[in-house]
Amino acid sequence: MKILVTGGAGYVGSHSVRGLCDAGHDVVVFDNLVAGHRGAVDERASFVEGDLGDAELVRSTLANGGFEGVLHFAAFLDVNESVRDPLKYYVNNIVHTVRLLEALRDAGVKRFVFSSTCATYGEPETCPIREDIPQAPINPYGHTKLAMEFAMRDCAQAWGLGGTALRYFNAAGASADARIGEDHDPEIHLIPIVLQVALGQREKVFIFGTDYPTPDGTCIRDYIHVEDLADAHVRAIESQPPGVFRFYNVGTGQGTSVREIIDGAREVTGHAIPADESPRRAGDPPALYADPSKIKRELGWSPKYTNTQDVIRTAWGWHETHPQGYADR
Ligand code: UFG
């Protein structure tokens, strides 16, 4: 199948591009390289350097490309930044995505897979989280992702869009062969920050909140390996029926605390990794972990990585060999 991948030079996007190429698909990556890296794009894929805000380029790429499907990763993802600068998120994550959907409609492309997030659930009262609990995001980032889920549902009804929203939990790890991995600037995610401490690039990691109502007082998250996320995308686009809106949690089903991540990284790396306790970060729910039974049942997906230690080990394989990220490639 010929597939366009927006944001295919980013973290989850680049692993998914590789998964699509491995499965024999013909892949074109569309990325402005603002957050993505040219070196992350699989050599088997073609590359268009372009901005999703360039509606004409998006339209002509889709109109003339002969695509059967689109995987849409290009988006901003920093929750704190979304609180400070919501319109940046509304423009990129909603306006540009709506324009992309228009271009799909006009080009007759009916398969669409969208990066949604567990942030659309807000602060759920109980875990594991099933897809049918109410979605009540608590920040602009989550609002923008939920808005696009609504748009996909409406387009499925109105003109037969086939859309799948994959609600990721915490994407983590790197490719098993350490060829591609996580490289954000600035880095905001726990595992890469902890590994930067192990590499001596940061003095210590700050634990954001130790008074949460969890067994060790720190936040619990569901760290899903990026190659398992990629596999979910491949299955979603391959199985996508037209005119149907689907939505799935993509997580392991297991919760891991911040302290457990730091301890795990100490074991994997053999480094001390100094950690300081610091106040809570605004907007962090105490616990978020998935009930992934729906995607297991309907798409036959299941995570290969069920042990957080193994996830950290792949991340370490990447960070150790690429201490400056893609600048080292
Ligand atoms: N944390 C620290 N210290 C750090 C960084 C993070 O203690 O230096 C903690 C956070 O407070 C949180 C946990 O580690 O409890 C994980 O934080 P991340 O920033 O790695 O990930 P988040 O859970 O905040 O964010 C992820 C996705 C978002 C998504 C969000 C939904 O990256 O895109 O889950 O809650 F919106």
Side-chain angles (χ1 to χ4, degrees):
M1 205 186 302
K2 188 165 180 194
I3 299 168
L4 183 70
V5 183
T6 75
Y11 175 44
V12 184
S14 60
H15 288 80
S16 300
V17 165
R18 213 173 169 199
L20 289 172
C21 293
D22 288 345
H25 297 293
D26 180 5
V27 179
V28 178
V29 169
F30 185 99
D31 198 300
N32 63 6
L33 299 181
V34 166
H37 307 275
R38 186 67 181 88
V41 178
D42 194 288
E43 286 155 8
R44 293 167 289 181
S46 318
F47 183 74
V48 176
E49 185 169 347
D51 196 295
L52 214 56
D54 185 345
E56 261 324 296
L57 181 61
V58 171
R59 178 170 288 278
S60 62
T61 304
L62 270 165
N64 308 323
F67 293 103
E68 275 183 73
V70 174
L71 255 55
H72 177 43
F73 296 94
F76 292 135
L77 51 67
D78 181 338
V79 171
N80 282 298
E81 184 187 51
S82 81
V83 174
R84 291 194 307 273
D85 191 358
L87 295 183
K88 176 175 175 182
Y89 281 69
Y90 277 79
V91 169
N92 197 39
N93 295 5
I94 297 184
V95 175
H96 293 171
T97 303
V98 168
R99 297 270 171 256
L100 175 65
L101 286 175
E102 283 178 341
L104 258 87
R105 180 195 59 199
D106 296 347
V109 179
K110 296 278 169 67
R111 294 174 195 247
F112 184 68
V113 178
F114 175 66
S115 306
S116 189
T117 168
C118 61
T120 60
Y121 295 115
E123 295 198 22
E125 270 162 30
T126 54
C127 281
I129 298 168
R130 281 169 45 134
E131 287 88 349
D132 54 6
I133 68 162
Q135 287 173 291
I138 55 166
N139 52 56
Y141 168 71
H143 291 146
T144 63
K145 292 290 183 174
L146 182 55
M148 291 320 307
E149 288 200 15
F150 283 131
M152 289 166 68
R153 189 188 298 268
D154 292 338
C155 292
Q157 268 225 316
W159 51 268
L161 175 73
T164 300
L166 295 177
R167 297 177 186 158
Y168 309 169
F169 283 67
N170 287 53
S175 69
D177 61 6
R179 275 179 60 84
I180 52 176
E182 193 165 10
D183 180 0
H184 293 118
D185 184 20
E187 190 49 75
I188 55 170
H189 295 108
L190 179 63
I191 292 177
I193 285 175
V194 166
L195 296 179
Q196 286 174 354
V197 178
L199 284 169
Q201 296 175 337
R202 291 176 192 250
E203 202 184 319
K204 56 177 87 156
V205 54
F206 293 95
I207 301 176
F208 297 148
T210 53
D211 59 349
Y212 283 100
T214 59
D216 69 14
T218 67
C219 286
I220 289 176
R221 294 287 180 273
D222 184 338
Y223 294 89
I224 175 73
H225 195 273
V226 66
E227 288 186 334
D228 286 326
L229 272 177
D231 178 38
H233 286 83
V234 174
R235 287 171 190 269
I237 197 89
E238 287 179 344
S239 64
Q240 181 66 57
V244 176
F245 172 63
R246 311 181 296 180
F247 46 92
Y248 299 107
N249 287 339
V250 197
T252 64
Q254 286 171 44
T256 306
S257 75
V258 174
R259 285 196 206 279
E260 286 170 333
I261 290 288
I262 297 170
D263 286 342
R266 286 177 177 140
E267 239 170 81
V268 165
T269 65
H271 290 277
I273 311 186
D276 261 8
E277 299 187 356
S278 75
R280 293 182 178 195
R281 186 172 71 177
D284 274 341
L288 290 173
Y289 55 96
D291 176 344
S293 44
K294 189 174 177 223
I295 189 169
K296 288 184 172 176
R297 199 172 55 242
E298 294 188 10
L299 299 191
W301 173 91
S302 70
K304 284 202 293 285
Y305 289 87
T306 50
N307 176 328
T308 318
Q309 203 86 339
D310 294 337
V311 175
I312 297 172
R313 196 166 289 114
T314 64
W316 181 236
W318 158 255
H319 285 281
E320 210 183 8
T321 51
H322 301 81
Q324 306 304 326
Y326 285 99
D328 288 325
R329 288 204 53 184

